[in-house]
């Protein structure tokens, strides 16, 4: 394996510029996932064994933890979510027949048997939102894992079923890996895409269904958030319209909407959600789905594919695979391997970028050696069948392996004149040209000064490298 200290773990490539069509059931143009976070009774509170009161996502702007004290107002705001907000949302979703995924904090679910029964009666999916609604950024992996195991156990006791989906929210850098170890069908502790995707964790293909913090009622309780229901509705509508249009164009995606009983469940806000549901249901080709349904579809329609994993290759394997991308110049592959490579380099354009960085950083003498390593077009090496496999294929693609005697003489003459003038062979990405086009380029470039031709030859070498990588 590669030196992991030189490998960058974040993935900036994802589905890439040409993301796949999700192929949602029934040809839907968009999948819409409504998520209800059930946290009331699982938040920081002295009654729950915590050191301080809750301070996050409430009507108390700028709230701070109260160490060693219960915060009566904070507790009552959370209580509103369970006592009133939940039931208002339950009525709305059941009346409109919209399926819901619940992110259920296990201790909160245990303290709310009536709400759990209502969730199950409505056919809602109940995924795990952890043991408690607390921040795990400072937890050790062992302590976080212990809480995960306790959450799974309690969730199973309360609901009768082991959770199949996971979302911590206030997570650590270890959360996704720890959740994957525990065999969840899907994990949502990322915000990095508009589609589900597979990621390799240890020796397992893990399905990730990204969540959202922008199409989320939490912004009613944060700076620069939503001040009114109209703002929330407008933002959801615009997000839906953009994604729906992409679906019409053949690139369907997913929209997640994050909700909280104590926030959107207030009467002054719930009408915005009702308006949005009406708006969504006024469009054809919309699939409102639970995350479990999205996971099942994705696993069937888009199963995990073997990844290239180029950035994780050991040095010898990497150089063996890519040492000939720049003609007879394995030192370029060696230099690329030593760079900070990551998942974004597991593509032709990504690896090409790394190889070109090494080539461009080299001295003029080193780059000149690369140019001189290239064979003459249709020259003596070709006639003697001593070209590399790559060069043989490239020259054949332009018909240079089937020249008439007159054409071969013309190439020999041009080759000799060009080398005599510039000191390196004429280089051109032959896959971009036919035989006649190559000869015209010969005639056009042979009169250039050597500095101009050196720069052009280097560009052509990079182009040849890109074509070779794409051929892989």
């Amino acid at each position: 394996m590669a030196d992991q200290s030189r490998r960058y773990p974040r993935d900036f490539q994802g589905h890439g510029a040409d993301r796949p069509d999700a192929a949602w059931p029934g040809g839907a143009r968009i999948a819409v996932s409504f998520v209800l976070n059930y946290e009331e009774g699982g938040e920081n509170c002295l009654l729950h064994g915590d050191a301080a009161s809750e301070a996050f996502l409430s009507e108390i702007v700028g709230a701070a933890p109260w160490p060693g004290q219960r915060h009566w107002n904070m507790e009552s705001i959370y209580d509103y979510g369970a006592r009133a907000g939940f039931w208002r949302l339950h009525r709305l979703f059941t009346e409109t027949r919209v399926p819901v995924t619940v992110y259920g904090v296990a201790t909160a679910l245990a303290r709310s048997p009536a709400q759990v029964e209502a969730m199950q009666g409505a056919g809602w999916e109940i995924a795990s939102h952890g043991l408690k609604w607390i921040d795990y950024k400072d937890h050790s992996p062992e302590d976080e894992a212990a809480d995960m195991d306790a959450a799974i156990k309690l969730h199973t006791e309360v609901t009768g079923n082991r959770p199949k989906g996971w979302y911590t929210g206030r997570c650590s850098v270890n959360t996704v890996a720890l959740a994957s170890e525990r065999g969840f069908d899907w994990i949502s502790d990322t915000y990095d895409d508009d589609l589900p995707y597979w990621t390799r964790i240890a020796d397992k293909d893990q399905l990730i269904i990204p969540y959202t913090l922008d199409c989320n009622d939490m912004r009613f309780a944060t700076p620069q958030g939503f001040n009114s229901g109209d703002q929330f509705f407008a933002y959801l509508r615009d997000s839906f319209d953009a994604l729906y249009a992409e679906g019409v164009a053949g690139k369907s995606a997913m929209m997640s909407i994050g909700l909280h009983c104590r926030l959107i469940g207030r009467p002054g806000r719930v009408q915005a959600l009702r308006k949005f549901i009406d708006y969504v249901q006024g469009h054809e080709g919309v699939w409102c789905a639970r995350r479990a349904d999205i996971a099942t579809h994705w696993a069937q329609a888009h199963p995990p594919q073997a990844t290239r994993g180029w950035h994780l290759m050991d040095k010898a394997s990497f150089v063996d695979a890519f040492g000939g991308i720049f003609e007879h110049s394995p030192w370029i592959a060696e230099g690329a391997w030593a760079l900070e490579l990551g998942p974004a380099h597991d593509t032709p354009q990504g690896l090409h970028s790394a190889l070109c960085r090494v080539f461009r950083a080299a001295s003029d003498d080193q780059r000149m050696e690369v140019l001189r390593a290239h064979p003459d077009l249709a020259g003596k090496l070709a006639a003697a069948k001593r070209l590399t496999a790559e060069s043989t294929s490239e020259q054949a693609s332009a018909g240079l392996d089937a020249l008439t005697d007159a054409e071969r003489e013309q190439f020999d003459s041009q080759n000799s004149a060009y080398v005599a003038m510039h000191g390196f062979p004429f280089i051109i990405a032959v896959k971009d040209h036919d035989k006649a086009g190559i000869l015209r380029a010969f005639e056009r470039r042979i009169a250039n000064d050597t500095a101009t031709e050196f720069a052009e030859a280097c560009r052509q070498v990079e182009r040849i490298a890109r074509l070779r990588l794409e051929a892989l």
Side-chain angles (χ1 to χ4, degrees), residues 28-282:
R29 294 168 176 176
I30 185 172
V32 180
S33 168
F34 289 91
V35 175
L36 181 60
N37 293 264
Y38 196 85
E39 299 156 351
E40 289 75 12
E43 79 280 8
N44 283 286
C45 178
L46 265 64
L47 296 175
H48 306 158
D50 301 305
S53 62
E54 185 57 70
F56 193 43
L57 294 188
S58 80
E59 304 298 328
I60 305 173
V61 178
W66 289 8
Q69 296 184 60
R70 289 177 62 189
H71 194 317
W72 188 264
N73 290 346
M74 182 65 72
E75 290 177 22
S76 67
I77 288 171
Y78 270 75
D79 292 350
Y80 182 91
R83 293 161 57 107
F86 171 82
W87 298 110
R88 183 170 286 118
L89 295 171
H90 183 266
R91 290 191 295 271
L92 172 59
F93 284 119
T94 54
E95 288 169 6
T96 55
R97 298 184 179 181
V98 171
V100 172
T101 292
V102 176
Y103 288 168
V105 175
T107 50
L109 296 176
R111 294 182 174 112
S112 301
Q115 290 86 341
V116 171
E117 184 176 279
M119 296 172 193
Q120 293 178 319
W124 294 358
E125 172 192 16
I126 308 178
S128 183
H129 197 7
L131 180 66
K132 301 169 68 174
W133 174 231
I134 60 176
D135 201 330
Y136 281 92
K137 68 181 179 64
D138 296 322
H139 280 56
S140 69
E142 294 76 17
D143 288 344
E144 185 175 1
D147 273 9
M148 278 191 179
D149 292 335
I152 295 168
K153 181 177 184 296
L154 181 56
H155 186 110
T156 304
E157 292 173 1
V158 171
T159 68
N161 297 289
R162 188 188 192 279
K164 295 183 177 180
W166 181 273
Y167 174 75
T168 293
R170 299 157 84 173
C171 65
S172 75
V173 71
N174 303 304
T175 299
V176 172
L178 291 172
S180 182
E181 287 176 8
R182 280 150 182 80
F184 288 98
D185 290 352
W186 56 269
I187 299 170
S188 283
D189 273 300
T190 70
Y191 313 95
D192 54 2
D193 215 296
D194 296 312
L195 283 177
Y197 62 88
W198 298 95
T199 189
R200 194 76 177 169
I201 300 177
D203 295 323
K204 175 186 177 182
D205 291 308
Q206 177 63 58
L207 180 61
I208 303 295
I209 303 182
Y211 188 45
T212 178
L213 295 181
D214 67 315
C215 293
N216 195 308
D217 68 357
M218 66 176 287
R219 293 183 61 196
F220 282 115
T222 60
Q224 198 181 5
F226 302 123
N227 292 323
S228 70
D230 287 343
Q231 292 178 344
F232 185 50
F233 168 71
Y235 192 86
L236 295 183
R237 180 199 61 209
D238 290 349
S239 300
F240 175 88
D241 286 348
L243 293 172
Y244 189 84
E246 291 175 6
V248 171
K251 297 297 180 184
S252 54
M254 176 188 73
M255 178 180 181
S256 297
I257 299 99
L259 306 168
H260 299 76
C261 300
R262 64 193 176 277
L263 297 177
I264 198 66
R266 293 281 176 175
R269 296 174 183 146
V270 75
Q271 289 301 95
L273 180 59
R274 181 180 292 276
K275 286 169 62 178
F276 179 67
I277 291 174
D278 290 344
Y279 186 75
V280 167
Q281 293 183 331

Side-chain angles (χ1 to χ4, degrees), residues 5 8 114-115 120 130 171 180 184 191 226 260 293 297 308 318 325 330 344 368 375-377 437 452 456:
S5 67
Y8 191 74
Q115 290 86 341
Q120 293 178 319
C171 65
S180 182
F184 288 98
Y191 313 95
F226 302 123
H260 299 76
D293 303 321
H297 168 78
R308 295 187 180 97
F318 188 91
I325 296 298
M368 179 65 80
D376 289 337
L377 292 180
T452 299
E456 179 60 29

